[in-house]
Amino acid sequence: MLTAFARAFRTPDLRKKLLFTLGIIVVYRVGTHVPIPGVDYKSVQQCVDEASGNQGLFGLVNMFSGGALLQITVFALGIMPYITASIILQLLTVVIPRLEALKKEGQAGTAKITQYTRYLTVALAVLQGTGLVATARSGALFSGCTVGSQIVPDRTIFSTIVMVICMTAGTAVVMWLGELITDRGIGNGMSILMFISIAATFPSALWAIKKQGNLADGWIEFGTVIAVGLAMVGLVVFVEQAQRRIPVQYAKRMIGRRSYGGTSTYIPLKVNQAGVIPVIFASSLLYIPALVAQFSGGNSEWKQWVTANLTKGSHPIYITLYFLLIVFFAFFYVAISFNPEEVADNMKKYGGFIPGIRAGRPTAEYLSYVLNRITWPGSLYLGLIALVPTMALVGFNASQNFPFGGTSILIIVGVGLETVKQIESQLQQRNYEGFLR
């Protein structure tokens, strides 16, 4: 593997792509440490230290921003608005016929949908930036901090507008940096930035576990967390690469004097067809009642129930709802992203068939049957992986976030595998040899 890395940097065009990607990553990480105007940086640092990793409702967004959200920097919103906009457009494509027609138009339609995604990203950035500024001004961003209400000393309308504009511009710059990596670098730009954001939070989280540990000056807890993380990475790699291959045979056709078709291929159905989307959906949905309860006044009965049951990740009701929502969204996302009838019609159009299955409706029913069968273990696996932080914190300090959470591991492994495959394909084009011999 080290030889393959050296060969990658000896190839001129591949070296330029790798160095360009590394340069964009450096710019992105610098932006996550530049505070926006109107924020008392000393008060923010004091609140971050007092929080001790307990970020409550903002933990997921803070992870996707590489810790920039709680620092209230220029890139505080990170790529979360773009991820949300992409998911919304993908769901609307199934509902709105105009978007579905654009998707079928090929490259021109995809470019139009990408443009809509950019507009929606900016709109969501304005909305989320306004909410973040309002939360910081009220002191709710760090509810247990002694100087939480002093984070934004200047509360004029002009100062608020400037802060929102800075964070919106930062989101637009992050989106531009991601597209630059996609066009001129290696891998998918947004995925690379997401990978860097999550990986940047690992060292501090691991060291915090070591400092707060009690056994052998914290080294036993530190080693246990590392071992659990490596085991999770191995499990995720195994399941993410697992797929059910449906054999497809294409009939021979004579056109003039030439014979076409007659080839054998397969349809790869992944065990985890939905990826990390169900975990994000379930987390976002469970954050809504807790967020509403946090900003509602008074001390009503429903607010007490939500605060007691839906804001603590270790509560049985929260764990049960979280697991069931992940399973539901796994089936829901697979249903809207993979259409067996469309696949069966395309196969029939080009003379393809599954051995032993008639073309047309029987093929669609067979694909639906197989997809439902493999989605069950995939959804259960997602639910268990997402609950690992809760189970792994038994015996550790309950206020400390477990660094190898299900969402972070899924994203890091998925992006890492995809990027390595792209580098390997580039190497094989020139040297007929990739990372693995």
Side-chain angles (χ1 to χ4, degrees), residues 23-36 39 41 44-45 48 61-80 132 166-167 169-171 173-175 177 192-201:
I24 295 296
I25 289 172
V26 171
V27 173
Y28 175 67
R29 289 304 301 161
V30 169
T32 57
H33 292 85
V34 178
I36 62 174
V39 174
Y41 192 66
V44 171
Q45 291 301 312
V48 169
V61 185
N62 186 60
M63 181 186 69
F64 283 131
S65 65
L69 175 74
L70 295 183
Q71 305 280 353
I72 318 182
T73 62
V74 175
F75 291 167
L77 301 179
I79 56 175
M80 199 61 184
L132 178 60
C166 285
M167 283 190 284
T171 301
V173 171
V174 169
M175 183 169 55
L177 293 177
I192 293 290
L193 295 182
M194 194 189 309
F195 177 95
I196 296 300
S197 299
I198 296 172
T201 61

Side-chain angles (χ1 to χ4, degrees), residues 70-293:
L70 295 183
Q71 305 280 353
I72 318 182
T73 62
V74 175
F75 291 167
L77 301 179
I79 56 175
M80 199 61 184
Y82 184 86
I83 296 173
T84 308
S86 300
I87 293 174
I88 291 175
L89 261 297
Q90 194 169 4
L91 295 177
L92 290 179
T93 302
V94 185
V95 180
I96 301 177
R98 168 63 179 162
L99 292 177
E100 188 176 1
L102 282 176
K103 185 180 180 181
K104 295 179 179 179
E105 288 181 5
Q107 188 174 358
T110 304
K112 200 69 176 177
I113 293 178
T114 303
Q115 189 177 1
Y116 293 156
T117 305
R118 293 170 184 164
Y119 294 151
L120 184 58
T121 299
V122 174
L124 290 174
V126 173
L127 184 64
Q128 294 181 12
T130 305
L132 178 60
V133 172
T135 307
R137 287 175 58 178
S138 64
L141 186 62
F142 298 99
S143 55
C145 181
T146 55
V147 294
S149 59
Q150 303 174 15
I151 291 177
V152 184
D154 187 1
R155 308 196 175 190
T156 60
I157 297 179
F158 177 77
S159 176
T160 303
I161 293 175
V162 169
M163 294 172 69
V164 172
I165 290 176
C166 285
M167 283 190 284
T168 305
T171 301
V173 171
V174 169
M175 183 169 55
W176 176 62
L177 293 177
E179 292 179 355
L180 282 179
I181 293 178
T182 304
D183 294 338
R184 301 171 57 183
I186 289 290
N188 182 280
M190 292 301 170
S191 300
I192 293 290
L193 295 182
M194 194 189 309
F195 177 95
I196 296 300
S197 299
I198 296 172
T201 61
F202 278 3
S204 59
L206 286 171
W207 192 247
I209 286 179
K210 190 266 175 191
K211 289 197 299 183
Q212 295 182 7
N214 299 319
L215 302 175
D217 201 18
W219 286 110
I220 292 181
E221 289 91 339
F222 181 82
T224 304
V225 170
I226 293 291
V228 171
L230 291 176
M232 284 182 60
V233 169
L235 174 64
V236 170
V237 170
F238 178 77
V239 178
E240 290 297 317
Q241 296 291 87
Q243 56 183 223
R244 169 74 184 274
R245 296 181 176 182
I246 307 296
V248 178
Q249 181 74 36
Y250 284 93
K252 288 186 178 181
R253 294 181 298 170
M254 294 297 297
I255 301 178
R257 295 184 178 181
R258 294 188 177 182
S259 175
Y260 294 91
T263 58
S264 298
T265 182
Y266 60 87
I267 302 174
L269 296 180
K270 296 181 65 176
V271 173
N272 182 22
Q273 192 86 359
V276 75
I277 300 298
V279 181
I280 297 176
F281 276 12
S283 302
S284 303
L285 198 63
L286 280 178
Y287 283 163
I288 293 175
L291 193 61
V292 172

Side-chain angles (χ1 to χ4, degrees), residues 374-433:
I374 66 174
T375 301
W376 270 113
S379 61
L380 296 176
Y381 144 82
L382 274 180
L384 292 176
I385 286 291
L387 292 177
V388 162
T390 302
M391 296 183 289
L393 282 177
V394 177
F396 293 101
N397 188 347
S399 67
Q400 177 61 46
N401 283 339
F402 184 68
F404 298 105
T407 310
S408 57
I409 290 295
L410 286 169
I411 292 174
I412 281 185
V413 170
V415 176
L417 289 174
E418 188 63 32
T419 306
V420 167
K421 286 179 182 178
Q422 290 203 21
I423 298 176
E424 186 172 0
S425 65
Q426 297 270 353
L427 287 174
Q428 287 179 343
Q429 290 177 5
R430 298 166 177 82
N431 304 290
Y432 302 102
E433 187 177 293

